[in-house]
């Protein structure tokens, strides 16, 4: 077992039953011209965490932790995108509309791809998900059960939407969940701060948080 100095208290985990899930580090959220920008957001803070997520991926790969990447995206006919999702707000470009990186959040389009610096390598699972949570309508749960995973490390964007939703789903399914504080980001700094606080509040009611350096120290020694 490895013990990590995390908040709100230490987290002990067995690396042989731990996996890393990197949520939605896609061009559509991180680059200008994508879905995030179409919603009126400044994507710069999300771009800034790419090197930290790359370091986290390197750490997980070095220690043989299974890595799972997710992409929020929909079928070209939008049959898996309910109006409640497509019609939300008044963005310049809605899900499925044609933008500078192809159709927004559509499977196989350039904007739906993971940014090149964080691309999956051979043997890593990439899960396309129609929802905010990565367990909803995907094979993620079965895959983790097949691997015998009990602890999940989380990174990715955005902290308060897809990352938090997936951590809550994981918590309900019995996984010990840790969010790497500097490997996640929001378009809204206050939402990131609030999400970190609510995850670890009330005795880790959803899970734990820790900076990447603490995890590197715990694993690399
Ligand atoms: C959003 C996500 N924010 N990946 N998606 O719509 O968090």
């Amino acid at each position: 077992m490895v013990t990590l100095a995390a908040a709100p208290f230490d987290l002990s985990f067995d690396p042989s039953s731990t996996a890393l899930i990197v949520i939605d580090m896609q061009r559509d959220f991180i680059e200008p011209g994508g879905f995030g920008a179409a919603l009126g957001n400044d994507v710069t803070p999300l771009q800034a965490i790419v090197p930290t997520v790359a370091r986290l991926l390197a750490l997980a790969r070095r220690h043989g932790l299974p890595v799972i990447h997710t992409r929020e995206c929909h079928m070209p006919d939008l049959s898996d995108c309910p109006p409640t999702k497509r019609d939300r707000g008044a963005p310049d470009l809605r899900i499925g509309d044609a933008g500078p990186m192809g159709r927004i959040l559509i499977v196989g389009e350039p904007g739906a791809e993971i940014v090149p610096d964080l691309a999956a390598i051979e043997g890593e699972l990439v899960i396309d998900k129609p929802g905010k949570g990565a367990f909803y309508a995907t094979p993620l749960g079965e895959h983790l059960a097949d691997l015998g995973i009990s602890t999940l490390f989380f990174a990715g964007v955005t902290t308060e939407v897809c990352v938090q939703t997936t951590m809550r789903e994981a918590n309900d399914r019995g996984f010990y969940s840790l969010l790497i504080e500097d490997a996640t980001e929001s378009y809204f700094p206050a939402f990131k701060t609030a999400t970190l606080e609510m995850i670890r509040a009330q005795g880790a009611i959803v899970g734990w948080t820790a900076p990447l350096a603490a995890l590197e120290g715990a694993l690399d020694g």
Side-chain angles (χ1 to χ4, degrees):
M1 295 294 278
V2 172
T3 298
L4 170 72
F9 48 84
D10 288 359
L11 172 67
S12 294
F13 63 93
D14 180 352
S16 71
S17 59
T18 299
L20 169 65
I21 302 187
V22 181
I23 303 280
D24 300 356
M25 291 298 289
Q26 296 163 257
R27 299 183 63 200
D28 263 331
F29 293 110
I30 292 169
E31 294 186 11
F35 185 57
L39 290 166
N41 299 304
D42 172 14
V43 296
T44 319
L46 276 59
Q47 288 172 348
I49 67 162
V50 169
T52 311
V53 178
R55 245 173 66 207
L56 175 60
L57 279 167
L59 179 71
R61 288 167 181 159
R62 202 158 60 239
H63 288 273
L65 270 51
V67 175
I68 297 146
H69 306 257
T70 69
R71 300 185 294 205
E72 181 177 353
C73 52
H74 296 274
M75 304 303 291
D77 65 1
L78 295 177
S79 55
D80 59 356
C81 183
T84 47
K85 189 170 183 192
R86 179 172 150 84
D87 299 343
R88 197 60 58 77
D92 293 340
L93 295 168
R94 290 189 187 280
I95 295 171
D97 290 349
M101 292 186 283
R103 292 182 66 201
I104 296 272
L105 291 187
I106 296 297
V107 172
E109 297 286 341
E113 294 301 326
I114 293 166
V115 294
D117 287 354
L118 306 178
I121 62 172
E122 200 179 331
E124 294 177 352
L125 183 67
V126 180
I127 290 187
D128 289 335
K129 62 184 185 57
K132 302 302 183 192
F135 286 86
Y136 168 69
T138 75
L140 178 60
E142 288 105 306
H143 183 68
L144 296 174
D146 288 348
L147 294 175
I149 298 298
S150 57
T151 299
L152 294 171
F153 297 160
F154 285 94
V157 297
T158 60
T159 315
E160 78 281 10
V161 184
C162 291
V163 175
Q164 178 172 210
T165 303
T166 304
M167 285 190 75
R168 289 177 182 276
E169 289 181 324
N171 188 46
D172 284 347
R173 286 163 175 78
F175 293 97
Y176 297 94
S177 299
L178 170 78
L179 177 56
I180 307 304
E181 296 162 6
D182 42 348
T184 183
E185 195 49 88
S186 168
Y187 301 117
F188 306 93
F191 289 177
K192 175 176 176 178
T193 302
T195 302
L196 294 179
E197 284 176 9
M198 68 178 80
I199 282 170
R200 62 195 177 213
Q202 304 176 80
I205 197 154
V206 175
W208 286 256
T209 77
L212 177 55
L215 186 59
E216 287 173 328
L219 279 172
D220 285 339

